[in-house]
Amino acid sequence: MMGIGLREQNCIGLRDQSPSILTSPYLVAEWGLPTPVVLLSESAPCWIGLDYRVCGRHGEPSVTWFDAERHTELSLAPDFRSFLEGLTAAADFEDTGTVRTSD
């Protein structure tokens, strides 16, 4: 998962017009995403964000995947801790050159 602005080591804050979580309100409006959401990762038109719609401003948000073009969303985890604990290293998905078939 590449976070917003991580390429520039600028995930929080503004620098050289690079996207960051501080630009979430603009990006949410621009892409027609639901609110309130704080975006963590982007590969437009798809986004991963902290979704505050159910818990409210002071609650613990779920983590949701949004596809702005298809107008779909998928709950990834009930909270950020569960999301982090469920992450898997990319190396675990590397192609081994074998083809798996179902028996």
Side-chain angles (χ1 to χ4, degrees), residues 59-75:
E60 186 168 13
S62 61
V63 180
T64 305
W65 174 84
F66 301 95
D67 184 327
E69 283 186 349
R70 291 189 174 100
H71 305 287
T72 59
E73 58 186 71
L74 174 68
S75 177

Side-chain angles (χ1 to χ4, degrees), residues 32-56:
L33 299 171
T35 59
V37 170
V38 175
L39 300 174
L40 300 176
S41 175
E42 63 93 16
S43 181
C46 298
W47 309 83
I48 295 175
L50 298 175
D51 188 351
Y52 287 86
R53 290 178 292 175
V54 173
C55 68

